[in-house]
Amino acid sequence: MFRVSTLKSVYILLLILSFNIIAGQSQKKSKPNVIFIVVDDLRPELGVYGNSTIKTPNIDKLARRGTTFTNAYCQVAVCAPSRASALTGLRPDSTKVWVLGEEFRKIHPDVVTIPQQFEKFNYHTVSIGKIFHNHMPDSISFREPDLRPEGYAVKNMIDRDPESFYFSGELKAELAAKRLERLAKDPKRYGNGWAY
């Protein structure tokens, strides 16, 4: 995994990839598998976008087998509104989601999201990581919502940002210490202090 510097106002709908049937399965035509990867706050600093310095062989290989979109725009320079808009097809004027704490399901309980549309056509939908927004995994949209590493799918971790799941003991300790500092300053801190 690598990190690149981010521009807060950049929202990139990184890849929508469709694959053919895996080798060894029936040769008859079938619906394609779809992997939808959505990233906010990421510049297109990947090989697939022409960057030869940063090495991203697996994403590049995936992109060669699918479709890469090179023009994507955000309606709001904040992730929750942009994600709600991209995944519902509604503008922020319609979703009424303008900041991180708002939930489009409370405003539009019956809106159909992209994963729900796939479910209508008998796709098996799975959410891994940050798809909508951390505080709102939207289990209605997925057959398997909010997959988390073992140990993080417990009650006191539900509001924790998926991007704060670390497997290094050193990073876990750093995160826990920073969380306590943030909660000492503001006990009602967003994400129960886990956002880091």
Side-chain angles (χ1 to χ4, degrees):
M1 182 175 282
F2 65 91
R3 285 183 177 236
V4 294
S5 61
T6 60
L7 297 174
K8 192 65 182 168
S9 64
V10 175
Y11 177 86
I12 298 173
L13 179 58
L14 186 58
L15 301 169
I16 297 178
L17 300 160
S18 300
F19 299 121
N20 294 325
I21 304 295
I22 296 172
Q25 289 185 351
S26 167
Q27 292 299 316
K28 71 177 187 173
K29 292 290 181 187
S30 180
K31 63 185 177 192
N33 290 324
V34 176
I35 298 175
F36 179 76
I37 301 173
V38 60
V39 178
D40 58 41
D41 300 336
L42 177 71
R43 295 184 342 203
E45 301 295 336
L46 304 168
V48 65
Y49 290 114
N51 186 311
S52 59
T53 303
I54 296 175
K55 306 302 178 200
T56 56
N58 293 325
I59 289 288
D60 299 344
K61 183 178 176 183
L62 198 57
R64 283 192 296 274
R65 295 183 63 191
T67 302
T68 302
F69 291 85
T70 57
N71 289 310
Y73 305 91
C74 73
Q75 298 84 352
V76 179
V78 180
C79 83
S82 290
R83 287 169 180 271
S85 180
L87 290 157
T88 63
L90 299 172
R91 297 179 333 205
D93 288 348
S94 298
T95 64
K96 305 297 184 207
V97 176
W98 294 105
V99 298
L100 296 179
E102 295 169 335
E103 299 179 28
F104 73 86
R105 281 282 175 213
K106 289 182 179 175
I107 301 163
H108 301 284
D110 298 323
V111 72
V112 176
T113 64
I114 289 174
Q116 284 178 291
Q117 189 66 23
F118 274 94
E119 283 284 343
K120 285 183 179 181
F121 291 93
N122 296 316
Y123 275 84
H124 183 88
T125 58
V126 180
S127 167
I128 298 174
K130 185 179 178 182
I131 302 300
F132 287 95
H133 193 65
N134 311 327
H135 64 274
M136 200 197 130
D138 198 47
S139 59
I140 297 167
S141 287
F142 297 97
R143 193 172 302 176
E144 292 185 52
D146 204 27
L147 256 77
R148 292 167 176 250
E150 189 176 336
Y152 291 96
V154 294
K155 187 178 179 184
N156 66 333
M157 295 286 189
I158 294 304
D159 283 338
R160 186 165 171 175
D161 288 340
E163 63 265 30
S164 69
F165 296 160
Y166 295 111
F167 296 93
S168 155
E170 184 180 319
L171 284 172
K172 285 181 184 180
E174 179 186 337
L175 182 64
K178 291 288 184 184
R179 174 180 177 256
L180 292 176
E181 284 177 31
R182 288 189 294 276
L183 290 175
K185 292 178 185 174
D186 179 8
K188 294 182 180 181
R189 183 86 180 210
Y190 168 76
N192 197 24
W194 286 116
Y196 178 47

